[in-house]
Amino acid sequence: MTPKSPEFKSASLEDWAKSAAKSAPGGQVDALNWLTPDGITVKPLYTAADTQDLAYANTLPGFEPYLRGPQATMYAVRPWTIRQYAGFSTAEESNAFYRKALAAGGQGVSVAFDLATHRGYDSDHPRVTGDVGKAGVAIDSVEDMKILFNEIPLDKVSVSMTMNGAVLPVLAGYVVAAEEQGVSQDQLSGTIQNDILKEFMVRNTYIYPPEPSMRIIGDIIEYTAKNMPKFNSISISGYHMQEAGANQALELAFTLADGKEYVKTAMAKGMDVDEFAGRLSFFWAIGMNFYLEVAKMRAARLLWCRIMKGFEAKNPKSLMLRTHCQTSGWSLTEQDPYNNVVRTTIEAMAAVFGGTQSLHTNSFDEAIALPTEFSSRIARNTQLIIQEETHITHVIDPWAGSYMMEKLTQDMADAAWTLIEEVEAMGGMTKAVDSGWAKLKIEAAAAEKQARIDSGKDVIVGVNKYKLKTEDAIESRDIDNVAVRDGQIARLQTIKAQRDNVAVQQALDALTTAAQNNSGNLLDLTVKAMRLRATVGEVSDALEKIFGRHRADTNKVSGVYAAAYDTDSTHGDTMDYWNHLKADIAAFAEQQGRRPRVMISKLGQDGHDRGAKVVATAFADLGFDVDMGPLFQTPEECARQAIENDVHAVGVSTLAAGHKTLVPAIIAELKKQGADDIIVFVGGVIPRQDYDFLYAAGVKGIYGPGTPIPVSARDVLDQIKKALG
């Protein structure tokens, strides 16, 4: 039967609704709707009626408002750039990885720095003993930068650097390393992240408070506009917001609001918007919410064009949103980890369908440790296969004209714009960040998401459904932190012995004076200091004398996690477990005269606090008394606070691989200070081969990625009872 045959009868929407209602829960078609975490209703069926009033459904790629792509031909002429974001221990090892990746099909270098560098500390600083070389490459000076880019032609290879807090010395070090390679500043291409507002909300690798940090951004935009015309002066990042728990609408709204704030900052320096706006770029996370991710990227271009027209930008390049994307790290699971290859492929497809300009695909083992060469090759080949084998690149914006996608794009734009207007009513993103409001919005979304997983409402294959009975061991990369740090310290000593220390001090003093008097350009002065072999830590210290160091609050949301455990939609056994656990905690309080008290801590320079905040929220909702330690504690500081607060247990949240150094140190400190009755438990990204080491050091519980929080809470309660006898 065909549409032209006599038997064919065209069904109406009303006919479909009647038919669908027969199989819908409660006989209601509305029950088939999906309400996304963003508050958007996604219907099971879309028709032409859903798009008839959309103003932008029939626009073209490369033309305002760029919804269908910033370039007219997109991948049909030039596919996206394949990047591998990486940094391992030393500059030598990272350089070897970059060169292999470029030879194997990589098309750009993306540098991951260690946490000591992010936070503006040299490798010999006592606060970074467990962080040097652990979650990225250690960079202390121009000499490290020269090794990092050895035999990589910086006039031909674009370089993306994820750096925010210590952005001045790191960017300056790259500039000087290029100069000494014979490459002038105007030949350099790539991107520096330089997105500090996001750091105050989620990632926390800041150094200075918001106001002086915004001045630094303005100086970098000004300097690069004059001297580095091919280099993107800022990559406005939503990636870390989604990784911290934001849904797609929050990520979209807060990222564009950050961008708006940066434009205001640059214009306040007297720059015309078209002088710099064409060099702004964006950076999105791409998670497993496939349709929403494609819609988010299309909506982002629509809204950015609207925002830039509000600044009276005239140059078409100022109106185009260009973006890098990275597949989600948070969606990767420790359990059944080869499933992560599939997850990354799906996320990469969403990024491509959304129109990204460059892409990094995560490796399947990154929920366990830093990626190996084997896993990195699979991640890189995922992109090569999409580019070379699928023929996807031959069609520009293949989702255009889809009733569902066009409507979802508009719905996403509307949801984000409502949030952007709320931010503007508060006085802009700097004030929204400074007040803590934006951070709490993201933390509430994170707690809600984790509760949906733990309660079984959201399925994660291999974690809360279709679980394996036994898990095979996965080879993972291990970094000898002590050896890396010793090597960095030796190089620092050599540099300081050979340089002109008087000239270096004069250059550092000039930076301090410029910070104090609000004079000069801080990047220009930092380039001069780095040429003389000032170090990352010395430059940071010179500015800290005036700017100070930012201290984050430790507020947590409440009630959000518990709200997911309702009798209507939570599985019965899950609800029973929750209620029994709450009753046991209440009984403990009755017997002991107080509730079980835990302190959730982050040791070292790891600022990723999504896990810590969600665990604190969930434990508090269960009935624990919960203290939050401030970020960046030393083991000594953590032990002192735990004793002063009279806690039963300390929970260490770790994602940056410093656990083998920092966790034994906190146990030793508690013992040293006469409090070895306080138990220590650990959660986060911990390779299974490290479990025995941690248990031998005295850890009482280890909870890897995917552990339901009520399960870990039960174990902590039992361990506290055992310790009390």
Side-chain angles (χ1 to χ4, degrees), residues 407-705:
K407 181 65 166 63
L408 193 54
T409 297
Q410 189 63 56
D411 288 345
M412 180 63 69
D414 291 343
W417 193 254
T418 298
L419 287 164
I420 290 170
E421 289 181 324
E422 194 171 350
V423 169
E424 283 301 298
M426 298 175 70
M429 204 61 191
T430 300
K431 291 185 178 178
V433 167
D434 216 15
S435 70
W437 172 82
K439 186 176 181 67
L440 286 174
K441 291 279 282 186
I442 292 173
E443 289 173 1
E448 181 183 10
K449 176 64 176 177
Q450 188 61 51
R452 291 183 64 84
I453 293 170
D454 290 346
S455 64
K457 292 177 183 176
D458 287 359
V459 172
I460 308 294
V461 173
V463 175
N464 63 3
K465 197 173 184 180
Y466 313 112
K467 292 187 286 188
L468 291 173
K469 291 183 179 179
T470 58
E471 297 273 356
D472 294 333
I474 298 292
E475 179 189 354
S476 60
R477 184 186 293 268
D478 187 39
I479 302 296
D480 186 344
N481 162 246
V482 174
V484 175
R485 188 166 185 262
D486 287 347
Q488 289 298 119
I489 291 172
R491 189 175 293 150
L492 277 168
Q493 290 171 341
T494 299
I495 290 167
K496 291 179 179 180
Q498 295 177 347
R499 70 187 185 182
D500 183 341
N501 285 298
V502 173
V504 169
Q505 191 56 55
Q506 289 174 343
L508 294 171
D509 289 344
L511 265 171
T512 303
T513 300
Q516 186 171 33
N517 298 338
N518 196 26
S519 60
N521 183 288
L522 295 177
L523 179 54
D524 179 52
L525 292 167
T526 304
V527 168
K528 293 172 180 174
M530 297 298 284
R531 283 190 186 119
L532 295 167
R533 294 315 189 258
T535 68
V536 169
E538 288 171 334
V539 168
S540 300
D541 288 346
L543 296 172
E544 187 182 339
K545 289 177 183 178
I546 306 302
F547 295 156
R549 268 195 181 257
H550 180 69
R551 298 287 184 267
D553 65 67
T554 56
N555 294 332
K556 59 182 180 294
V557 297
S558 62
V560 174
Y561 186 93
Y565 284 82
D566 61 78
T567 54
D568 292 334
S569 55
T570 303
H571 298 161
D573 54 348
T574 305
M575 193 67 198
D576 288 344
Y577 191 98
W578 175 266
N579 287 333
H580 287 152
L581 179 54
K582 286 190 72 175
D584 287 350
I585 292 168
F588 177 97
E590 182 72 23
Q591 294 164 5
Q592 298 292 328
R594 66 172 182 140
R595 296 191 289 181
R597 191 179 192 96
V598 299
M599 175 179 162
I600 306 298
S601 62
K602 294 288 296 182
L603 301 179
Q605 301 305 306
D606 175 16
H608 294 84
D609 61 352
R610 172 181 183 156
K613 289 292 186 72
V614 170
V615 168
T617 293
F619 272 50
D621 286 353
L622 279 162
F624 284 83
D625 278 331
V626 180
D627 298 314
M628 283 293 298
L631 289 171
F632 315 124
Q633 279 191 312
T634 65
E636 296 83 359
E637 292 164 345
C638 180
R640 192 179 314 121
Q641 183 180 352
I643 294 167
E644 289 172 354
N645 291 7
D646 193 21
V647 303
H648 295 104
V650 172
V652 179
S653 172
T654 176
L655 289 107
H659 52 272
K660 291 177 73 173
T661 301
L662 297 169
V663 174
I666 179 63
I667 294 171
E669 275 299 317
L670 288 169
K671 185 175 182 179
K672 179 180 175 182
Q673 297 184 37
D676 53 353
D677 57 329
I678 296 176
I679 69 168
V680 174
F681 60 96
V682 187
V685 178
I686 305 166
R688 287 193 176 272
Q689 64 260 33
D690 292 349
Y691 280 25
D692 289 343
F693 171 87
L694 293 174
Y695 283 130
V699 169
K700 299 301 182 185
I702 303 173
Y703 315 112

Side-chain angles (χ1 to χ4, degrees), residues 260-282:
K260 194 172 183 179
E261 199 82 348
Y262 297 139
V263 172
K264 291 178 187 175
T265 299
M267 292 178 72
K269 293 184 70 67
M271 299 179 68
D272 180 85
V273 65
D274 287 320
E275 283 185 71
F276 64 87
R279 304 299 338 150
L280 304 179
S281 68
F282 287 78

Side-chain angles (χ1 to χ4, degrees), residues 122-154:
D122 285 336
S123 297
D124 58 359
H125 197 284
R127 298 194 75 89
V128 298
T129 54
D131 296 302
V132 176
K134 269 298 190 183
V137 60
I139 297 293
D140 293 316
S141 73
V142 168
E143 294 304 316
D144 291 329
M145 277 289 191
K146 288 171 68 176
I147 295 168
L148 188 67
F149 296 116
N150 183 42
E151 295 188 33
I152 295 175
L154 294 179

Side-chain angles (χ1 to χ4, degrees), residues 64-84:
E64 291 182 31
Y66 306 103
L67 181 149
R68 299 190 57 193
Q71 308 300 331
T73 53
M74 291 298 289
Y75 309 143
V77 170
R78 181 183 177 186
W80 65 93
T81 300
I82 297 173
R83 293 189 181 277
Q84 277 316 96

